[in-house]
Amino acid sequence: MYLKIIFELIGGLGMFLFGMELMSSGMQKIAGPRLKKILSTLTNNRILGIIVGILITALVQSSSVSTVMAVGFVNASLLTLKQALGIILGANIGTTITGWLLVLNIGKYGLPIVGVGAILYMFNKTEKVRTKISVIMGFGFIFLGLQLMSSSLSPIREMPFFIELFQKFKVDSYIGLIKVTLVGALLTAIVQSSAATLGITITLALQGLIDYETAVALVLGENIGTTITAFLASIGAKANAKRAAYAHTLINIIGVIWVTSIFKYYLQFLDIFIDSKNHIGAAIAAAHTIFNISNVIILTPFVGYLDKVLQKIVKDDIEQGETRVTRLNSLMMTLPSLIIDQTKIEIITMSRLLQDGFSKVEEVLDVPEKISTYVEEVSNIEDKLDLYEKEIYDTNFSLLNKSLNNNLIEETRINLLTCDEYETMGDYLNRIANRLNMLYENSIDIDENRKKYLHILHKETLSLFVDITKGYETKERELFASGIKKYSHVKSVYKEAKREHFVNSDIHSRLNTGYLDVINYYRRIADHIYNIIENFMKI
């Protein structure tokens, strides 16, 4: 009997958590573009921030996803701490929708929902339709898991050991209230899903294993326990991201403190809305909703003060030696489309660094004496491009391990290939600067004829680079088509420069190696630009 109870309880909990994950990930895929639009409307208006938090959490059905997303955006400097606080407050309200879904008496329909969903999923090959079906299957698994947990706990009502055990967790004093609240927080921190522990709480109450007061106390604790996800996600993040995570915990702790201090009157207040004796499941969901709405109303005017307090508690990144060059981080993984868009912004920044390198090399071709000033700066650009590539690859390779649709996979692939080509171009620009520096330091002059070819190669390669960068940014296929012609022209200029060099060159001249290397590096840069063209033309 005990094994049967344990197996069914674990199986039911596993199905519930899997259903939540399936539903949440499916909703994120469907709502991804909408989430970006919602976030783009954010201002410092805290009320608007709260509304955004509610909408995001309602869409993805997970406050943990919303708060980790907010922490990630703060870490990437895409949101201010004040804006994130608004989202976090709104997420606390948005997550209460899940509680109302759990009290719907449709557990018996969970199995057929999963069955029909699985059949439709197997026979449908369209990715968008499959994503929508997975959301429906997620709902089915949630209700199936709840029903399994409920049936597994049913025999416990008649077992003296469990009756005695649950009687120890009663809210018969303030100490008892705190104990039960801490149990709720601990269980949620372990499971890392307030929806799961809320479902268990409702199930226990419906089976008569715990009374209404105990259930409400557990719900209060669950609001604290759910903050562990964002807290863990903030480890190693920037100062502002840590502040956002700490704020989430602090907001919920403050809420629990004021509610527990007036718990008796709070219960009386709840009775105004729903009769807990006849509708205990709905009453628990109402307790969850009213707690979070009340807490948001009370704490919203103090968001500015909370911001100031957290600024003092957590030291700034300058004091901690922050060295990241991009705004990308793993905390943004909850919204893949945003990582892809942000990656593109970072790669465009890489292109601007390259253009700066091109302009410095161009000045050196006109005035060789400037090489002593610019050679180190071009080297620094190359070093920075290396950092960009590493951070972009670290984040995007992690992204490819997630379940993405074909369009997002293709965009990620293009971003990574373009990033790699840009970083390699930076290497060749650095080599050009070093070779020109070597010639200058050894007092080896480049005659006017060779300078003419260097200028043409530089101008044509740069023109090709600018066009293809614009094409990458705007996805104008005409620019890639014309880029093929420009690439062919760069190759012909390279061949002519090489031929002219050998026709008019002393075979023992020290100019040979340096000059040939420079024109070859320009050709190699053009080759890497052409690789980008090929990648885009395959789409």
Side-chain angles (χ1 to χ4, degrees), residues 416-454:
L416 288 173
L417 289 170
T418 306
C419 170
D420 183 53
E421 301 299 347
Y422 278 2
E423 189 279 329
T424 307
M425 288 180 218
D427 289 341
Y428 282 114
L429 266 180
N430 190 36
R431 291 180 193 182
I432 290 172
N434 284 327
R435 279 290 178 269
L436 293 173
N437 186 47
M438 181 196 74
L439 293 172
Y440 177 74
E441 286 184 342
N442 288 280
S443 301
I444 301 171
D445 293 325
I446 302 174
D447 60 77
E448 291 303 316
N449 188 49
R450 288 182 176 84
K451 271 189 180 180
K452 178 190 77 174
Y453 280 109
L454 283 179

Side-chain angles (χ1 to χ4, degrees), residues 72 145 240 357:
N240 253 358

Side-chain angles (χ1 to χ4, degrees), residues 118-392:
I119 293 168
L120 291 173
Y121 189 89
M122 291 296 293
F123 287 97
N124 201 303
K125 302 301 179 184
T126 308
E127 194 170 1
K128 286 184 179 179
V129 177
R130 278 190 156 198
T131 301
K132 292 174 182 177
I133 293 170
S134 70
V135 173
I136 295 169
M137 286 175 65
F139 272 106
F141 274 114
I142 288 169
F143 295 121
L144 183 59
L146 276 175
Q147 188 184 40
L148 199 56
M149 285 191 287
S150 180
S151 63
S152 70
L153 293 171
S154 182
I156 290 177
R157 290 181 297 181
E158 299 170 5
M159 295 180 178
F161 171 76
F162 285 102
I163 293 170
E164 188 179 337
L165 177 66
F166 282 109
Q167 281 178 346
K168 291 180 180 179
F169 295 98
K170 290 198 75 173
V171 183
D172 49 8
S173 65
Y174 186 74
I175 298 299
L177 171 61
I178 298 301
K179 282 182 181 178
V180 174
T181 303
L182 290 174
V183 168
L186 181 62
L187 286 173
T188 308
I190 293 169
V191 179
Q192 288 196 39
S193 171
S194 60
T197 46
L198 181 61
I200 293 170
T201 301
I202 291 172
T203 302
L204 290 171
L206 289 172
Q207 292 295 340
L209 292 166
I210 59 173
D211 57 26
Y212 175 61
E213 290 80 4
T214 303
V216 174
L218 283 171
V219 167
L220 293 176
E222 287 156 14
N223 280 281
I224 295 175
T226 194
T227 66
I228 190 69
T229 309
F231 182 84
L232 292 173
S234 72
I235 295 172
K238 292 181 181 179
N240 253 358
K242 289 178 181 176
R243 289 168 187 147
Y246 298 165
H248 187 210
T249 305
L250 200 57
I251 285 167
N252 287 10
I253 287 175
I254 291 170
V256 170
I257 289 171
W258 73 258
V259 169
T260 52
S261 65
I262 56 165
F263 192 67
K264 180 182 175 181
Y265 303 104
Y266 178 65
L267 291 175
Q268 291 174 3
F269 177 68
L270 293 177
D271 284 338
I272 297 171
F273 299 94
I274 293 180
D275 182 6
S276 59
K277 291 180 181 178
N278 297 317
H279 308 284
I280 191 166
I284 294 168
H288 188 213
T289 303
I290 292 166
F291 164 73
N292 283 291
I293 291 175
S294 302
N295 202 37
V296 168
I297 291 170
I298 291 170
L299 293 181
T300 297
F302 301 100
V303 165
Y305 296 105
L306 184 59
D307 184 11
K308 289 177 183 177
V309 169
L310 290 165
Q311 298 279 359
K312 292 179 180 179
I313 293 173
V314 183
K315 292 181 180 179
D316 287 328
D317 291 315
I318 297 171
E319 297 174 34
Q320 297 172 354
E322 185 63 36
T323 57
R324 286 187 68 86
V325 293
T326 70
R327 291 182 170 184
L328 291 167
N329 61 81
S330 58
L331 300 180
M332 298 163 68
M333 210 65 69
T334 48
L335 190 55
S337 56
L338 186 87
I339 287 186
I340 291 167
D341 286 351
Q342 187 60 37
T343 297
K344 193 168 184 177
I345 291 169
E346 303 298 349
I347 292 172
I348 291 166
T349 303
M350 289 177 73
S351 75
R352 293 195 186 105
L353 286 169
L354 279 168
Q355 287 192 53
D356 186 31
F358 269 110
S359 67
K360 285 177 168 52
V361 170
E362 188 174 21
E363 285 189 54
V364 170
L365 292 176
D366 289 324
V367 187
E369 292 78 15
K370 288 189 176 183
I371 189 63
S372 56
T373 305
Y374 286 147
V375 67
E376 188 175 347
E377 290 185 30
V378 174
S379 178
N380 289 337
I381 287 171
E382 194 270 328
D383 290 341
K384 200 166 186 179
L385 289 170
D386 288 343
L387 292 174
Y388 269 90
E389 183 192 40
K390 182 182 183 306
E391 291 179 21
I392 286 169

